[in-house]
Amino acid sequence: MANRLAHETSPYLLQHAHNPVDWYPWGPEALEKSRAENKPILLSIGYAACHWCHVMAHESFEDESTAALMNKLFVNIKVDREERPDLDGIYMQAVQALTGSGGWPMTVFLMPSGEPFYGGTYFPPDERRGLPSFTRILNAVNDVYRNRPEAVEGTTRQLRQIFDRSRQRAKSEGALTPHALDLAYRHLAQKFDVRNAGFEGAPKFPPTMSLDFLLRYWSRTGTEYALEMAASSFRAMARGGIYDQVGGGFHRYTIDAGWQVPHFEKMLYDNALLIRLGAHLWQAMHDEEFKRVTLETAKWVEYEMTSPQGGFYSSLDADSDGEEGKFYIWPLTELDHLLGNDSKIVKLYYGVTPGGNFEGANILHVRTDPKMAATRAGISVELLDKILFDAKETLYEVRSTRARPGRDDKILAAWNGLMLRGIATAARAFRDQDLKRLALKNGAFLLKEMVQRGRVIRSHGTKIGGFLDDHAAVALGFISLYELTFDASWIAHAERIARSMIEWFWDDEIGAFFDSARDAEQLITRPRDTTDNAMPSGNSLAVDLLFSLAELLGDDELRQRATFVLESSGTALMLHPNSFGHLLGTADMALNGAVEVAIAGHPGDRKFVALAHEVSTHYLPSLVLAGGDNHSSPHIALMKGRSVASGKAAAYVCRAYTCDEPATDPSVLARQLSVAGKVASSS
């Protein structure tokens, strides 16, 4: 018999619609029941692709006796963290304060008022590895709630003090200096895993935003080790088991330090950030392996993660047929059967062994450089490439007949905005028309379905209001579409969202952006998280957006607001760069200035296209790109005074209020761009 979750749209909530637990979605009905019956709330937060969420569901939420105990003692609420990042952020902060760590599934016990007083993550059905059983936790929490109110009040009082910090007024710590970026670079260099790339030990998550900062730092200062850290980390991931060698796309993380054994879920936001980084690395190095992996990942998004209307789905599950990774692994005997005479070479290249590296089977990973592999196999690199291409085609076809991992088909605004930005960047860098069409289709979908009078909704098909990251990410995606097409209407849409973002998320009294709008549901606190975690924070995306629009529109008010937000995080940037990777990128723009490129002329003109193509082959940190003529882009300040030269399209390269001579020849433009992003080293 279905419970109340059967009426929800979230795939994660629907996964629990037939549990014997009397689940409620978050809302006034559950909260009122808790108050009326004086029952504490058991709040369970997770997401559809979460492996351990599935484990706890099978072990506890599908168990009749456990469910009966939950129903007797608590009002039980299920929340999809991806639909409600505000709830997830508030209660994750509490769990981390109570236990020193966090994660999903998250289990939090609340007063009827919504204040948390106990929490944790996964609890097993029986005592295991020092963890108490879930039923023991249920009984103990109920006992404390009923019989030790002073203990509960003591905990809620302490957590209240933590929540109150979000209401402290932000203060500028003074103007940032290049020394801040130098300290951040040195900190990252000290944490770098020289043997395996990435940072420190296991588990290993893609440190995409930190790598983006290192790439910027290399371009500005010429510090080769910064480029080496960024490139070797991307290469290690691209060759590791964290990358789907057959179908493209990156898994969420690996349980080992060497990138081999992943937790097999695939998240849209991870791949969005990695596509953009891969395109930037290719622009910096013109490495064909980086191009291939980036395009394969983008094509995976197109083929497997795109709705018919153009929205991007959220994630793929780690499990299929109830087994983690089953869709992705290969027994040696199956490879021998499928690949015939080519099997030996494929097994050599992908590190396949009889015992495997995951439960007796093999997660494919590239063991060595292709040239070395070809030499060891006694064949040419060209023949190796053909054998591998044919093998991947065969394996992809065979794999497509297997039971597929579940797909979370929610379409989330922030994640779509990040992917739009990644796809548009890759389409421009690689001049890929298929990706350009994909980006335009997604942009049109977002504009029609998820932007309403300048405000963004969180999840397609729901009435959940958008959060700070939704607004900023979608607007940044629209700016990337402008850079790809030079259609100035995308800048107008981005500006409207930015103005709305300031109106609804900025607090003049505090001097900061909050994550939820001022007319959003009133929770026990208004969330405000400035750290960049698995994806950029709404705060750092907002600063990125304001700086970009300030350059394009010549708007000093936007620049001043962004600068204040950035300066209020100055100390944290220097001391904890791993937690502020995206914000460090905005600091680069604030300190070193944007690289401004304005191309005057008609975007369809052959000379204009040649200049735009030249720009697309160069890595330029904090690039602000504009193009067209004064008639097509009258509100874009960067184009004012830019005119064709001698009847030809002309590119103007500017930084620090200084511009080069207008370039009509791509070779002249190339020379200007080669030095445009550099500054004198501050080391």
Side-chain angles (χ1 to χ4, degrees), residues 19-325:
N19 292 166
V21 178
D22 187 17
W23 289 119
Y24 286 78
W26 181 272
E29 183 182 4
L31 301 176
E32 179 53 39
K33 180 179 174 67
S34 174
R35 286 189 289 266
E37 299 182 8
N38 190 28
K39 277 187 176 181
I41 293 167
L42 189 162
L43 175 64
S44 177
I45 302 180
Y47 58 102
C50 169
H51 172 70
W52 286 102
C53 298
H54 301 328
V55 172
M56 190 167 178
H58 295 321
E59 292 175 340
S60 296
F61 304 150
E62 295 172 8
D63 180 72
E64 294 284 350
S65 61
T66 304
L69 185 62
M70 293 171 65
N71 295 338
K72 176 184 176 183
L73 301 180
F74 302 96
V75 175
N76 302 290
I77 299 178
K78 257 290 174 194
V79 166
D80 182 338
R81 77 170 181 102
E82 296 166 354
E83 278 194 341
R84 293 298 303 266
D86 53 340
L87 293 169
D88 182 62
I90 289 169
Y91 293 114
M92 181 62 76
Q93 186 179 16
V95 168
Q96 289 172 333
L98 290 167
T99 69
S101 62
W104 301 274
M106 180 162 56
T107 309
V108 199
F109 297 91
L110 317 179
M111 301 287 287
S113 63
E115 291 187 280
F117 65 93
Y118 187 75
T121 53
Y122 164 78
F123 292 108
D126 46 31
E127 313 290 322
R128 188 186 305 167
R129 297 179 183 176
L131 291 174
S133 70
F134 188 46
T135 53
R136 180 181 167 189
I137 290 291
L138 297 176
N139 285 309
V141 169
N142 179 65
D143 178 66
V144 170
Y145 179 79
R146 299 292 173 195
N147 302 315
R148 297 175 58 196
E150 73 286 349
V152 173
E153 172 56 29
T155 300
T156 56
R157 189 187 314 115
Q158 290 176 338
L159 291 174
R160 242 176 263 135
Q161 293 173 354
I162 294 173
F163 293 142
D164 286 345
R165 293 172 189 167
S166 69
R167 298 296 306 176
Q168 293 176 355
R169 178 163 181 78
K171 297 179 181 179
S172 172
E173 298 176 2
L176 288 176
T177 68
H179 182 60
L181 301 188
D182 292 340
L183 283 179
Y185 161 73
R186 290 168 187 163
H187 180 92
L188 292 172
Q190 290 171 354
K191 299 289 185 180
F192 184 67
D193 183 343
V194 177
R195 179 178 180 181
N196 300 299
F199 299 98
E200 299 187 309
K204 274 274 177 51
F205 290 82
T208 316
M209 291 170 276
S210 294
L211 302 182
D212 174 79
F213 164 70
L214 289 173
L215 186 60
R216 292 171 186 259
Y217 191 83
W218 160 77
S219 182
R220 298 292 196 182
T221 67
T223 305
E224 289 297 324
Y225 191 53
L227 177 62
E228 181 181 337
M229 285 189 283
S232 64
S233 296
F234 190 88
R235 196 183 310 279
M237 289 187 286
R239 294 182 179 182
I242 194 172
Y243 182 68
D244 180 357
Q245 302 293 338
V246 172
F250 291 84
H251 300 292
R252 184 162 173 252
Y253 67 91
T254 58
I255 63 173
D256 64 301
W259 303 107
Q260 279 200 30
V261 181
H263 186 50
F264 290 92
E265 63 196 33
K266 289 183 181 178
M267 310 303 294
L268 188 74
Y269 57 78
D270 285 325
N271 287 281
L273 298 171
L274 285 160
I275 286 171
R276 187 165 181 258
L277 175 64
H280 285 163
L281 280 166
W282 178 83
Q283 290 172 323
M285 303 177 68
H286 287 220
D287 185 300
E288 288 302 305
E289 183 178 11
F290 293 166
K291 180 178 181 179
R292 173 184 61 79
V293 169
T294 303
L295 284 173
E296 287 176 355
T297 302
K299 297 298 183 183
W300 164 75
V301 174
E302 181 179 12
Y303 298 149
E304 297 191 29
M305 301 298 289
T306 305
S307 75
Q309 296 79 23
F312 298 133
Y313 299 132
S314 292
S315 63
L316 293 183
D317 206 329
D319 300 2
S320 53
D321 276 346
E323 296 182 31
E324 184 180 9

Side-chain angles (χ1 to χ4, degrees), residues 276-512:
R276 187 165 181 258
L277 175 64
H280 285 163
L281 280 166
W282 178 83
Q283 290 172 323
M285 303 177 68
H286 287 220
D287 185 300
E288 288 302 305
E289 183 178 11
F290 293 166
K291 180 178 181 179
R292 173 184 61 79
V293 169
T294 303
L295 284 173
E296 287 176 355
T297 302
K299 297 298 183 183
W300 164 75
V301 174
E302 181 179 12
Y303 298 149
E304 297 191 29
M305 301 298 289
T306 305
S307 75
Q309 296 79 23
F312 298 133
Y313 299 132
S314 292
S315 63
L316 293 183
D317 206 329
D319 300 2
S320 53
D321 276 346
E323 296 182 31
E324 184 180 9
K326 184 177 180 180
F327 185 72
Y328 299 101
I329 60 178
W330 301 92
L332 179 144
T333 53
E334 186 177 10
L335 292 174
D336 284 339
H337 172 72
L338 293 172
L339 302 179
N341 294 333
D342 292 338
S343 175
K344 182 178 180 181
I345 291 173
V346 173
K347 290 188 297 184
L348 171 69
Y349 186 74
Y350 286 120
V352 175
T353 62
N357 58 359
F358 184 76
E359 299 180 357
N362 290 272
I363 301 165
L364 302 185
H365 61 284
V366 180
R367 295 188 64 186
T368 187
D369 182 89
K371 291 181 180 178
M372 187 176 297
T375 300
R376 290 179 61 188
I379 59 176
S380 67
V381 172
E382 291 74 20
L383 180 56
L384 175 68
D385 287 342
K386 182 182 185 307
I387 290 171
L388 294 175
F389 180 84
D390 292 342
K392 287 167 70 172
E393 292 275 300
T394 299
L395 297 181
Y396 186 84
E397 185 176 334
V398 169
R399 200 176 74 174
S400 66
T401 66
R402 297 176 177 176
R404 288 185 171 275
R407 183 172 63 194
D408 185 338
D409 60 3
K410 286 196 313 296
I411 297 174
L412 299 172
W415 299 16
N416 270 248
L418 292 176
M419 183 57 78
L420 173 57
R421 197 181 194 191
I423 293 292
T425 301
R428 191 174 67 82
F430 304 130
R431 308 176 197 177
D432 190 298
Q433 293 302 308
D434 289 338
L435 293 185
K436 181 177 181 179
R437 284 188 287 271
L438 179 63
L440 284 167
K441 187 175 183 180
N442 180 255
F445 169 85
L446 292 175
L447 187 62
K448 179 183 177 182
E449 299 290 337
M450 302 190 74
V451 180
Q452 301 173 355
R453 295 184 295 278
R455 297 188 70 176
V456 180
I457 63 171
R458 173 65 177 177
S459 181
H460 183 241
T462 73
K463 296 180 180 179
I464 301 173
F467 299 95
L468 179 62
D469 62 344
D470 295 306
H471 287 74
V474 168
L476 285 166
F478 287 171
I479 291 175
S480 291
L481 268 182
Y482 168 70
E483 294 173 340
L484 178 63
T485 64
F486 299 107
D487 177 351
S489 67
W490 292 112
I491 296 299
H493 298 313
E495 182 185 6
R496 188 179 185 194
I497 293 172
R499 302 291 181 193
S500 181
M501 180 184 76
I502 293 170
E503 178 182 356
W504 293 102
F505 294 89
W506 180 262
D507 187 298
D508 280 325
E509 181 182 344
I510 304 300

Side-chain angles (χ1 to χ4, degrees), residues 542-551 559 562-563 566 586 589-590:
V543 174
D544 191 352
L545 173 63
L546 296 184
F547 273 131
S548 297
L549 284 175
E551 295 291 331
R559 184 179 292 105
T563 300
L566 188 60
T586 69
M589 180 182 280

Side-chain angles (χ1 to χ4, degrees), residues 500-576:
S500 181
M501 180 184 76
I502 293 170
E503 178 182 356
W504 293 102
F505 294 89
W506 180 262
D507 187 298
D508 280 325
E509 181 182 344
I510 304 300
F513 285 109
F514 281 89
D515 292 327
S516 60
R518 56 183 168 86
D519 63 345
E521 177 187 0
Q522 297 299 300
L523 303 173
I524 59 170
T525 188
R526 190 178 178 191
R528 177 183 157 210
D529 185 2
T530 61
T531 57
D532 298 316
N533 296 302
M535 60 179 285
S537 69
N539 184 73
S540 65
L541 288 169
V543 174
D544 191 352
L545 173 63
L546 296 184
F547 273 131
S548 297
L549 284 175
E551 295 291 331
L552 284 164
L553 304 177
D555 191 314
D556 286 336
E557 190 275 331
L558 295 181
R559 184 179 292 105
Q560 290 167 6
R561 191 185 301 272
T563 300
F564 177 80
V565 175
L566 188 60
E567 289 177 351
S568 68
S569 301
T571 300
L573 280 176
M574 292 185 286
L575 297 180
H576 308 288

